[in-house]
Amino acid sequence: MSLDDRKLEVLRAIVEDYVETQEPVGSKALVDRHKLGVSPATVRNDMAVLEEEGYIRQPHTSAGRVPTDAGYRLFVDRLTRIKPLSPAERRAIERFMVGAVDLDDVVHRTVRLLAQLTRQVAVVQYPSLSRSSVRHLELVPISTTRLMLVMITDTGRVEQRLVEMPGPVHDGDVWDLRRRVNEKLSGQRLADTPPLVQRLVDECDDPERRATMACLASVLLETLVERSEERLALAGTANLTRGGVLDFQGTLRPVLEALEEEVILLKLIGDLEPRTTRVRIGDENEIDNLRSASVVSSGYGPGTTIVGGLGVLGPTRMDYPGTIATVRAVARYVGDLLAQN
């Protein structure tokens, strides 16, 4: 990329003006609004070079210019100054999140907060079971032959299943089962538990106790390992209608269809490292229905452990500095919240 500093400043001004005004930007407006230190003729020449290089385009014959996907990418990579959140913005995040009573509350507060702060569509993935560890397993007698298995993970997820036992199970047996499974599985990553569960069965010498443990082990494996579905929370879909006629190439239908597919959403915000932020712009999205959208996402989790992803989706005409800063800050705050609890 051989653009000099002045042309980069012209591109920055075009992006910032177009994001703010939703209108194609002309050379006279750039000179009037920005201290570029050159004449409108020079700015027009710079804009011609930027258009030739593919960083801006002219949507109509008599209109000004708008950024292309390549222009936004250059802006994000080279020109974006990530502004730190103000103390007031940080206090707003803390006030909104404080008092969350459980994981569901944390996730729903987070997704609403992201949608409100960025004015985009927000998506938050619940902590993934595949990345979690067992904090505690509880067995609650429902009847003499039925138990409720409750699994609590280190990220606060709670899964519960009914266990139909092969015969009556007394209170002392329930206490013994609870002790055995917690001694073997507490603190273990869910992905590492299958051989440990099998060992629980193998260590039972008494045939009756072995049959009871085998029945419990079957449900344990289903709860710990085989429940592969991931959960998501979504908010702010109505924000998609705020844009101008050039946003989303004139139709929201493909974007709305994509938002209905959880597999697509998981692909957008998953597989990220903590403390990193990914920006996908327009055609960089692998999903055809989102070629007119941008996605800013980040992994979150306690410390350096990633347990889920969160992010926002909106038009390519997006306030990238503000959105990136907000997504980073919220991801960091949620990770710290999980670490504290």
Side-chain angles (χ1 to χ4, degrees), residues 56-209:
I56 61 176
R57 64 184 178 87
Q58 189 175 22
H60 308 293
T61 304
S62 59
R65 303 313 194 264
V66 301
T68 63
D69 290 353
Y72 285 123
R73 170 49 63 191
L74 185 59
F75 175 79
V76 169
D77 290 346
R78 290 279 305 274
L79 304 175
T80 294
R81 301 171 182 139
I82 305 300
K83 57 168 187 170
L85 296 186
S86 68
E89 289 171 321
R90 293 190 176 279
R91 284 195 299 270
I93 293 175
E94 292 175 7
R95 280 198 304 269
F96 197 89
M97 298 295 293
V98 72
V101 296
D102 56 24
L103 182 63
D104 279 331
D105 201 9
V106 169
V107 170
H108 284 99
R109 286 179 185 230
T110 301
V111 77
R112 293 199 309 272
L113 178 66
L114 272 175
Q116 290 174 14
L117 291 178
T118 64
R119 302 179 73 191
Q120 309 290 355
V121 180
V123 185
V124 177
Q125 176 190 13
Y126 277 76
S128 172
L129 285 178
S130 63
R131 298 168 180 159
S132 302
S133 298
V134 179
R135 176 182 290 174
H136 182 70
L137 288 158
E138 186 60 54
L139 293 173
V140 182
I142 304 299
S143 69
T144 57
T145 60
R146 179 180 290 182
L147 301 177
M148 175 70 75
L149 169 65
V150 182
M151 179 188 70
I152 304 171
T153 71
D154 60 339
T155 55
R157 277 192 70 162
V158 178
E159 299 287 327
Q160 54 188 31
R161 299 296 294 266
L162 280 175
V163 186
E164 298 287 348
M165 307 305 288
V169 181
H170 303 294
D171 288 346
D173 296 328
V174 174
W175 181 89
D176 184 61
L177 286 169
R178 183 188 300 119
R179 177 186 60 81
R180 285 170 177 264
V181 297
N182 277 291
E183 285 179 353
K184 188 71 71 175
L185 300 176
S186 289
Q188 300 293 329
R189 286 176 53 85
L190 271 65
D192 300 331
T193 56
L196 301 176
V197 173
Q198 183 58 48
R199 204 169 301 162
L200 283 167
V201 179
D202 296 340
E203 290 173 355
C204 293
D205 297 327
D206 180 82
E208 185 176 338
R209 179 171 290 180

Side-chain angles (χ1 to χ4, degrees), residues 207-249:
E208 185 176 338
R209 179 171 290 180
R210 185 184 180 92
T212 299
M213 183 62 81
C215 186
L216 176 59
S218 175
V219 178
L220 271 172
L221 285 174
E222 185 179 345
T223 307
L224 295 167
V225 180
E226 296 176 7
R227 292 180 64 104
S228 59
E229 72 270 17
E230 300 291 355
R231 297 169 58 195
L232 292 167
L234 186 73
T237 304
N239 287 331
L240 294 175
T241 64
R242 293 174 33 249
V245 294
L246 294 179
D247 288 348
F248 304 112
Q249 299 174 1

Side-chain angles (χ1 to χ4, degrees), residues 205-325:
D205 297 327
D206 180 82
E208 185 176 338
R209 179 171 290 180
R210 185 184 180 92
T212 299
M213 183 62 81
C215 186
L216 176 59
S218 175
V219 178
L220 271 172
L221 285 174
E222 185 179 345
T223 307
L224 295 167
V225 180
E226 296 176 7
R227 292 180 64 104
S228 59
E229 72 270 17
E230 300 291 355
R231 297 169 58 195
L232 292 167
L234 186 73
T237 304
N239 287 331
L240 294 175
T241 64
R242 293 174 33 249
V245 294
L246 294 179
D247 288 348
F248 304 112
Q249 299 174 1
T251 176
L252 280 173
R253 179 183 291 274
V255 178
L256 294 174
E257 289 176 350
L259 291 177
E260 292 180 355
E261 299 292 336
E262 286 200 356
V263 173
I264 290 177
L265 296 180
L266 284 169
K267 194 171 185 179
L268 290 177
I269 65 171
D271 302 324
L272 285 165
E273 296 299 324
R275 313 302 194 222
T276 62
T277 307
R278 181 171 62 197
V279 181
R280 286 178 172 167
I281 301 170
D283 285 337
E284 295 173 356
N285 288 299
E286 299 173 5
I287 297 132
D288 289 339
N289 283 5
L290 296 178
R291 301 284 181 170
S292 61
S294 286
V295 180
V296 179
S297 56
S298 177
Y300 73 87
T304 58
T305 303
I306 186 169
V307 296
L310 56 81
V312 299
L313 179 149
T316 54
R317 185 189 56 80
M318 178 186 290
D319 172 19
Y320 290 100
T323 301
I324 293 170

